[in-house]
């Protein structure tokens, strides 16, 4: 029941916020804020009340809800929460608050309908992070798309129709591929046992022929890779980011891209471990190409939001490498990178929105000299630019360093190539600051500086990035116990063999993780 509340609270708040806009704009704002605040408090209560270390060690879900739905098709209402889900749901609620605050002065028309769509998107995102039935997962996956399409198409900028259509076309094509693969898995379960099943635990135990497993794994990779985004499936991303309103860009960069990485972590590799092992060099190569390609194109941009969009392609290449590096250290780095990028990219898009609201342009050639006019805005932009380039002491550095350190053990040349991304990130990040805030004043008048709620929210996001950079164990210790149950097997390791304790931590931390499934408490 509690897990369903996490999904239902923003779902119920959505029509309420729409209705409240007729009476008061302020009431709409408070309904949206309260929905995310209550959801955040509820998720922490679940964590504090149901987190039992012994369960984590044994691979049991912290909290699980299982109710039959369509038994003749093997479809259940099955939700589960573990450390990975908890971290991403907390990130969802934090960025939900950020999106509401950053949209308040920008969205002037049909405000109630805007927050209706925003709450609906985030309800779908939370459902994706909790669903353990693949049919239910796909429903939540689709729930995210249409409201996000409307946010871009209705409240976006000049080329919003083109960008929203491209976003919808790419994501729907990826969803179709994913749906075919999910249905095939259910039918394979029927052939093996006599009854179809979409349940995560049932499909983890399913024995699949190697060639079939390979093609299903590729289909899952494509379905989730569109959303991550993986080069060359990324082309919808810059247009969608550029044309979306600020709140939409915050949700796109901070959360929707993370659902693709979550799908690779939770479903693609655990369901097809041997195929994923074979595919790993290709996936890691695509990650390295994405890092360099995104960095080069980011430096070439003159549009502030487009630069940040291409930098997302580059930074999430590290997450892809970490997921397929197949050891505990790189996987911890991938999860840290997801959270760090979610916070820092959302902040940069919020700053882009603040600049556009003041200057009515995102073109950096028409900016410059803003440091003296808006010192708080400029200082915060500098902080998140250096966070994005991976300055030691900040969360982004921890994520990228762990990915590179973990990957070097098995793929040294590929890792060395990916590491150049940290250098190129410094080039385009500092170019962003130079073009926007230094040089002669590009604006014709003094600009109002950041203040009030947007300033408080951005300072809070800075505190999160510093906190995770100086004390990463708060996140690493939350997700570490579940990692053996997400991942892999070595080439000669039996599929279900448990990990063996080791007296040598450095060797243990770099060895391939065994493939285990979460224990179900049902």
């Amino acid at each position: 029941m509690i897990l369903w509340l996490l999904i239902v609270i923003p779902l119920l708040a959505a029509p309420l916020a729409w209705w409240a806009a007729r009476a008061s704009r302020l009431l709409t704002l408070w309904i949206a804020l309260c929905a995310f605040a209550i959801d955040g408090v509820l998720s922490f209560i679940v964590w504090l009340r149901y987190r039992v270390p012994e369960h984590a060690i044994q691979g049991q879900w912290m909290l699980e809800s299982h109710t039959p739905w369509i038994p003749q098709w093997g479809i259940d209402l099955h939700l589960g929460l573990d450390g990975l889900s908890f971290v991403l749901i907390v990130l969802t609620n934090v960025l939900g608050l950020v999106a509401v605050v950053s949209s308040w002065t920008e969205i002037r028309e049909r405000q109630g309908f805007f927050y209706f769509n925003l709450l609906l998107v985030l309800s779908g995102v939370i459902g994706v992070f909790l669903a353990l039935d693949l049919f239910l997962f796909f429903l939540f996956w689709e729930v995210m798309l249409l409201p996000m399409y409307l946010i871009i198409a209705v409240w976006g900028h000049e080329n919003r129709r083109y960008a929203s259509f491209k976003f919808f076309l790419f994501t729907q094509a990826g969803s179709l591929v994913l749906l075919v693969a999910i249905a095939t898995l259910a039918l394979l379960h029927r052939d093996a046992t006599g009854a179809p099943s979409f349940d995560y635990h049932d499909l983890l135990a399913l024995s699949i022929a190697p060639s079939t497993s390979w093609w299903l794994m590729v289909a899952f990779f494509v379905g989730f890779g569109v959303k991550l985004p993986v080069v060359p499936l990324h082309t919808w991303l810059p247009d969608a980011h550029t044309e979306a309103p600020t709140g939409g860009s915050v949700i796109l960069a901070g959360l929707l891209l993370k659902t693709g990485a979550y799908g690779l972590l939770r479903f693609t590799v655990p369901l097809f471990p041997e195929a994923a092992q074979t595919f790993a060099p290709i996936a890691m190569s695509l990650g390295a190409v994405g890092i360099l390609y995104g960095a080069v194109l980011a430096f070439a941009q003159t549009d502030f939001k487009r630069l940040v969009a291409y930098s997302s392609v580059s930074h999430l290449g590290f997450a892809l490498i970490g997921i397929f590096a197949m050891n505990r250290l790189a996987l911890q780095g991938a999860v840290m990178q997801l959270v760090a990028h979610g916070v820092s990219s959302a902040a940069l898009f919020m700053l882009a929105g603040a600049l556009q609201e003041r200057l009515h342009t995102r073109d950096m050639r028409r900016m410059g000299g803003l440091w003296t006019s808006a010192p708080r805005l400029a200082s915060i932009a500098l902080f998140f630019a250096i966070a994005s380039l991976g300055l030691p002491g900040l969360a982004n550095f921890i994520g990228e360093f762990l990915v590179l350190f973990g990957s070097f053990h098995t793929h040294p040349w590929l890792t060395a190539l990916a590491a150049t991304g940290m250098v190129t990130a410094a080039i385009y990040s500092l170019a962003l600051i130079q073009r926007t805030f230094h040089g002669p004043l590009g604006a014709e008048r003094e600009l109002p500086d950041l203040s009030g709620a947007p300033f408080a929210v951005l300072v809070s996001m800075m505190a999160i990035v510093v906190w995770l950079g100086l004390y990463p164990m708060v996140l690493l210790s939350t997700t570490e116990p579940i990692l053996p149950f997400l991942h892999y097997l070595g080439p000669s390791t039996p599929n279900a063999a448990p990990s063996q304790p080791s007296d040598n931590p450095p060797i243990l931390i770099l060895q391939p993780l065994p493939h285990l499934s979460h224990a179900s408490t049902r």
Side-chain angles (χ1 to χ4, degrees), residues 83-380:
L84 178 63
S85 305
F86 170 75
V87 166
L88 293 174
I89 287 173
V90 170
L91 180 68
T92 302
N93 290 313
V94 169
L95 295 187
L97 293 169
V98 172
V100 172
V101 171
S102 60
S103 304
W104 184 243
T105 55
E106 182 184 11
I107 304 300
R108 298 287 184 179
E109 298 179 353
R110 288 181 277 186
Q111 199 170 38
F113 188 48
F114 175 82
Y115 287 109
F116 169 83
N117 285 289
L118 189 67
L119 287 159
L120 214 56
V121 170
L122 296 189
S123 176
V125 170
I126 294 173
V128 163
F129 292 147
L130 289 176
L132 293 180
D133 182 284
L134 265 69
F135 186 86
L136 185 64
F137 170 85
F138 188 78
L139 281 184
F140 288 126
W141 185 263
E142 289 297 293
V143 165
M144 297 185 302
L145 298 185
L146 186 58
M148 194 67 236
Y149 163 80
L150 290 174
I151 286 175
I152 301 171
V154 177
W155 293 277
H157 301 297
E158 297 81 9
N159 295 318
R160 59 183 180 273
R161 295 188 187 283
Y162 169 75
S164 59
F165 179 73
K166 195 173 181 180
F167 163 78
F168 193 77
L169 189 66
F170 270 75
T171 52
Q172 278 301 304
S175 297
L176 179 62
V177 173
L178 187 61
L179 178 62
V180 171
I182 290 173
T184 304
L185 269 179
L187 293 175
L188 287 174
H189 189 274
R190 185 197 62 182
D191 294 342
T193 65
S197 177
F198 291 85
D199 190 85
Y200 182 59
H201 296 127
D202 292 343
L203 297 178
L204 278 174
L206 185 64
S207 178
I208 308 173
S211 59
T212 307
S213 177
W214 166 266
W215 286 111
L216 288 175
M217 190 281 303
V218 170
F220 270 69
F221 181 84
V222 169
F224 294 128
V226 169
K227 196 66 71 66
L228 184 54
V230 176
V231 174
L233 306 173
H234 71 288
T235 59
W236 63 272
L237 180 73
D239 294 315
H241 271 313
T242 306
E243 301 303 327
T246 302
S249 295
V250 167
I251 297 303
L252 264 175
L255 296 173
L256 259 65
L257 307 188
K258 309 304 176 292
T259 59
Y262 176 81
L264 294 175
L265 279 167
R266 178 72 78 195
F267 297 109
T268 305
V269 179
L271 287 173
F272 316 104
E274 289 179 312
Q277 178 94 358
T278 307
F279 189 73
I282 299 174
M284 294 178 71
S285 299
L286 289 175
V289 169
I291 290 171
L292 298 178
Y293 169 84
V296 170
L297 287 193
F299 180 73
Q301 302 306 311
T302 55
D303 186 303
F304 192 113
K305 290 182 76 174
R306 210 168 176 84
L307 187 154
V308 181
Y310 275 110
S311 76
S312 293
V313 175
S314 180
H315 291 301
L316 290 175
F318 285 101
L320 182 61
I321 289 176
I323 292 169
F324 279 89
M326 302 201 172
N327 64 67
R328 193 183 307 258
L329 197 60
L331 193 57
Q332 288 278 36
V335 177
M336 175 63 84
Q337 179 71 359
L338 295 181
V339 175
H341 175 266
V343 176
S344 58
S345 64
L348 286 171
F349 278 117
M350 194 173 171
L351 290 165
L355 283 170
Q356 183 165 14
E357 201 171 340
R358 287 161 173 77
L359 299 169
H360 305 292
T361 182
R362 299 184 305 270
D363 192 339
M364 291 181 287
R365 293 170 297 184
R366 298 173 61 188
M367 299 181 187
L370 298 179
W371 195 284
T372 52
S373 299
R376 281 183 287 194
L377 195 154
S379 303
I380 292 174

Side-chain angles (χ1 to χ4, degrees), residues 5-14 35-36 39 119-120 122-123 126:
L5 279 178
L6 292 172
I7 301 169
V8 167
I9 287 172
L11 191 64
L12 292 180
F36 294 125
D39 235 30
L119 287 159
L120 214 56
L122 296 189
S123 176
I126 294 173

Side-chain angles (χ1 to χ4, degrees), residues 27-38:
L27 184 59
T28 305
L29 173 72
W30 280 108
I31 288 173
L33 288 176
C34 287
F36 294 125
I38 293 171

